[in-house]
Amino acid sequence: MPTYTAPVKDMQFVLHDVLNVSGSDIPGYDELEADFTGAVLEEAGKLTGDVLAPLNTVGDQEGCRLENGVVYTPTGFKAAFEQVKEGGWPGLDMPEEYGGQNMPYVLGTAVGELFSGSNQAFTMYQGLTHGAASAILVHGTNAQKDKWLPKMVSCEWTGTMNLTEPHCGTDLGLMRTKAEPQDDGTFKITGQKIFISAGDHDMADNVIHLVLAKIPGGPEGIKGVSLFIVPKFKVDDAGAIGARNGVSVGNIEKKMGIHGNSTCVMNYDDAEGYLLGEEHKGMRAMFTMMNEARLGVGMQGLAAAEAAYQNAVIYAKDRLQGRDVTGAKNPDGPADPLIVHPDIRRSLMDQKSFIEGGRAFILWGANMIDAAHRADDKDADGLVSLLTPVIKGFLTDEGYDMTVLAQQIYGGHGYIEEHGMSQFTRDARIAMIYEGANGVQALDLVGRKLGQDGGKHVMAFFDLVKSFCKENADDDGLKDFIDPLKAASKDLQAAGMYFMQNGMKNPNNALSGSYDFMHLFGHVCLGLMWARMAKSANAALASGASDTAFYETKVATGRYYMARRLPATGMHLTRIQSGADTVMALDAEAF
């Protein structure tokens, strides 16, 4: 069975050495002293390593089952969920007035990686609840917040997001679910939703669904969509659970991975619902969930890669196969461990350099969200909005690839189920699809985010990179980082210029290069993160830090990324500049 160890030390390095969170003037950050964040992460690490990680395989093998209208979660899930609730983990970064602890989002994101890395399917139950609660927090009336949030923040009640229907996924304007207005101000919701993660289960007393539906007579397409709170059980004004609502589970989806999460077909038959936000403004409210969810899904890609990598390292050190070509490293044994071989090292270094760079990237993103929400920093809000599709798309694509590399370390033993490595790959696969498939993320990046506010935010990103390179140009200890970062940033600017010069004349020139642009942008972001981490590590070494091995390893890992991974920007630029002709050359009938 795979194991999981919380990467607390690396998280602490990013939070304190790189982001210097306790020195920030963002409200609430003064609480984030190293001793405090370390204690929180260590405690989360115990729960995730000792309780959730052993249930990961159980959830994969047992899955969820639907019996007589009741969804049952795998053995051990319910007891573990009680432990999670008792610890107050679901409300870590939620407002105190609703029972949360009001910790900054950056700490919640770090803790979230530990939960997801140890057991992705299990963690989705509280993760979806957090997103639903956030939408109610932003768009709900005071009465709605008072009624629903306290028990959602505690996860006594859980939540979902209901978008997809059998005939429409990305194109939500095609949805058919109806919301008929009633004289008492409620709505009757009728329709079917599919792919609803955590749609129903036996771990909470109620499930609060946020459902997109159309009010008859409203505008056509996406402009006519509204969002509704639709509970599994009705709740009276005093907060007491009443009669069953017109909500039922039609089926549990059979799927490739995340078997421990109950992905349901949900049927709504004149279910009582309550408008959340304004009529016909449902997508605005839903995107409060979607943007948070997209950052969370990017974190899932990273977390899956971390968990798979940890086990691949153990196997590579233990498994004896072949001899080191430069001389035996285990002369008393029949063979040397796998880790002596250069190709195994290449694979592990690909994984390690992505994971540590990706962790810095996502915590930086969470840091910007805190600046936007807690300090009303419009520039941070604009920059993280630009980077959200990169965080989601790049980190999940690469995260999945890293689970494949980790599985490959095991050879045939990675393909059979005995070692459990296939689960990381199967579970990670969904992250590239849900909360907006990665192709859609790329289109969003190029089609909307690049030109947002007159291109202000992408120019701010270029200035950020340029300023860092200029400030550190004379630092010999960063030469291996600054030069590759400057070259990669120039590739990104050249790609953007190509879109400007060719995209207006033929939009397909931009759209056919959008996926490459998302990955090019992702590599530049990780290059920036590695340059910042190398600077922090060098500073620690210069100050006489006791753990020299950690900081030296950090710099060496960064050098690998800059030398072996970052040059991919050149490939992506060449593809982008080839335009749309070869992509669109064939008629549909030729496929």
Side-chain angles (χ1 to χ4, degrees):
M1 180 184 293
T3 61
Y4 179 78
T5 302
V8 173
K9 188 167 189 174
D10 198 56
M11 289 179 169
Q12 287 283 84
F13 168 73
V14 176
L15 290 172
H16 299 286
D17 292 54
V18 181
L19 297 177
N20 187 26
V21 290
S22 61
S24 170
D25 58 2
I26 297 173
Y29 271 45
D30 57 333
E31 297 183 49
L32 301 182
E33 295 291 345
D35 288 346
F36 175 73
T37 59
V40 172
L41 294 172
E42 289 287 355
E43 198 62 31
K46 291 176 187 175
L47 177 62
T48 55
D50 297 343
V51 178
L52 301 190
L55 293 175
N56 199 36
T57 302
V58 175
D60 185 55
Q61 294 176 349
E62 288 189 15
C64 298
R65 68 186 195 279
L66 175 63
E67 294 180 2
N68 301 318
V70 179
V71 175
Y72 295 94
T73 50
T75 302
F77 270 43
K78 193 170 184 178
F81 203 61
E82 289 302 313
Q83 287 187 251
V84 171
K85 289 190 285 187
E86 288 168 10
W89 295 106
L92 186 69
D93 58 356
M94 297 298 283
E96 290 179 274
E97 62 187 298
Y98 302 113
Q101 299 173 56
N102 203 35
M103 287 291 106
Y105 184 66
V106 71
L107 183 59
T109 300
V111 169
E113 186 200 325
L114 305 185
F115 275 86
S116 188
S118 64
N119 196 322
Q120 179 180 337
F122 176 93
T123 300
M124 288 170 64
Y125 291 99
Q126 69 204 56
L128 270 296
T129 306
H130 191 285
S134 295
I136 295 172
L137 182 66
V138 174
H139 299 283
T141 64
N142 288 334
Q144 287 175 330
K145 287 185 272 192
D146 291 342
K147 183 172 185 175
W148 305 108
L149 288 182
K151 292 187 177 180
M152 293 180 73
V153 167
S154 68
C155 269
E156 185 176 340
W157 299 346
T158 60
T160 70
M161 50 199 298
N162 284 232
L163 293 82
T164 308
E165 299 183 10
H167 58 283
C168 72
T170 302
D171 191 354
L172 292 171
L174 298 175
M175 73 174 55
R176 297 171 185 158
T177 300
K178 294 187 306 179
E180 295 278 359
Q182 305 299 299
D183 293 340
D184 62 358
T186 64
F187 291 78
K188 292 295 184 185
I189 312 297
T190 301
Q192 185 181 78
K193 298 289 185 177
I194 63 171
F195 307 158
I196 308 306
S197 300
D200 197 44
H201 54 88
D202 59 349
M203 300 191 299
D205 296 334
N206 206 354
V207 181
I208 314 305
H209 302 286
L210 295 195
V211 183
L212 285 177
K214 288 185 173 181
I215 301 171
E220 291 295 317
I222 200 67
K223 293 182 179 179
V225 172
S226 302
L227 185 61
F228 301 88
I229 300 171
V230 188
K232 174 181 175 180
F233 291 101
K234 297 177 183 179
V235 178
D236 66 22
D237 291 339
I241 289 178
R244 178 74 185 243
N245 206 354
V247 182
S248 61
V249 178
N251 194 17
I252 296 177
E253 307 280 11
K254 294 179 174 61
K255 52 195 188 293
M256 177 178 175
I258 55 169
H259 297 152
N261 195 270
S262 52
T263 307
C264 298
V265 174
M266 301 300 302
N267 295 320
Y268 294 88
D269 301 297
D270 283 340
E272 186 170 284
Y274 321 104
L275 181 68
L276 179 61
E278 302 175 51
E279 289 189 7
H280 317 310
K281 303 291 185 183
M283 290 310 297
R284 179 188 301 172
M286 184 61 85
F287 266 100
T288 300
M289 293 177 67
M290 291 290 285
N291 286 333
E292 176 183 310
R294 285 170 176 173
L295 287 163
V297 171
M299 178 266 289
Q300 286 181 352
L302 167 68
E306 168 69 40
Y309 165 74
Q310 287 186 15
N311 288 277
V313 169
I314 293 169
Y315 191 81
K317 290 179 178 179
D318 290 346
R319 176 74 167 173
L320 302 181
Q321 292 284 284
R323 288 293 187 191
D324 186 333
V325 294
T326 65
K329 295 297 185 289
N330 180 35
D332 296 331
D336 289 331
L338 280 172
I339 201 165
V340 306
H341 303 300
D343 192 60
I344 297 293
R345 291 290 187 95
R346 172 201 58 80
S347 176
L348 292 175
M349 287 297 285
D350 277 356
Q351 295 168 60
K352 181 177 174 62
S353 63
F354 162 75
I355 291 162
E356 293 178 15
R359 177 173 295 121
F361 185 24
I362 205 152
L363 290 176
W364 178 46
N367 179 209
M368 286 189 281
I369 288 176
D370 278 331
H373 292 173
R374 289 173 171 256
D376 197 29
D377 186 332
K378 301 299 184 187
D379 291 334
D381 189 47
L383 185 54
V384 77
S385 178
L386 168 71
L387 295 177
T388 292
V390 184
I391 290 171
K392 195 281 183 183
F394 180 72
L395 292 187
T396 58
D397 275 352
E398 290 286 304
Y400 174 80
D401 287 348
M402 297 307 150
T403 67
V404 173
L405 289 180
Q407 186 185 28
Q408 185 77 7
I409 297 288
Y410 283 71
H413 290 286
Y415 193 71
I416 63 174
E417 293 299 329
E418 179 184 355
H419 291 280
M421 292 302 289
S422 80
Q423 184 186 352
F424 295 121
T425 300
R426 289 185 286 104
D427 286 356
R429 185 65 183 88
I430 186 58
M432 302 159 73
I433 299 171
Y434 60 15
E435 311 307 341
N438 286 356
V440 176
Q441 302 300 322
L443 295 180
D444 178 47
L445 174 64
V446 171
R448 291 180 62 244
K449 298 298 176 61
L450 276 187
Q452 198 169 36
D453 296 328
K456 171 184 176 181
H457 308 301
V458 72
M459 294 308 298
F461 178 82
F462 289 140
D463 286 344
L464 194 68
V465 175
K466 183 178 179 180
S467 296
F468 182 90
C469 292
K470 188 175 181 179
E471 290 166 9
N472 297 282
D474 297 329
D475 187 339
D476 290 340
L478 289 180
K479 183 172 176 56
D480 292 342
F481 294 84
I482 299 301
D483 291 347
L485 178 58
K486 287 168 66 176
S489 182
K490 286 180 180 177
D491 286 343
L492 184 61
Q493 293 176 64
M497 186 61 67
Y498 175 83
F499 290 153
M500 287 179 60
Q501 293 172 344
N502 297 275
M504 294 298 290
K505 292 183 290 185
N506 179 5
N508 283 339
N509 281 327
L511 299 184
S512 63
S514 61
Y515 212 91
D516 279 287
F517 187 80
M518 180 177 72
H519 275 256
L520 199 169
F521 210 150
H523 278 297
V524 175
C525 287
L526 260 64
L528 176 61
M529 293 299 99
W530 270 116
R532 291 178 64 181
M533 286 192 286
K535 181 176 181 177
S536 297
N538 283 340
L541 288 168
S543 68
S546 58
D547 194 354
T548 57
F550 173 84
Y551 293 109
E552 289 171 350
T553 298
K554 183 66 67 176
V555 174
T557 304
R559 284 200 182 101
Y560 178 89
Y561 193 89
M562 306 309 274
R564 298 286 299 240
R565 302 285 294 165
L566 194 56
T569 60
M571 174 193 70
H572 290 300
L573 176 60
T574 299
R575 289 175 175 175
I576 289 166
Q577 292 176 333
S578 72
D581 290 348
T582 56
V583 175
M584 306 301 293
L586 299 182
D587 293 332
E589 293 74 19
F591 287 93

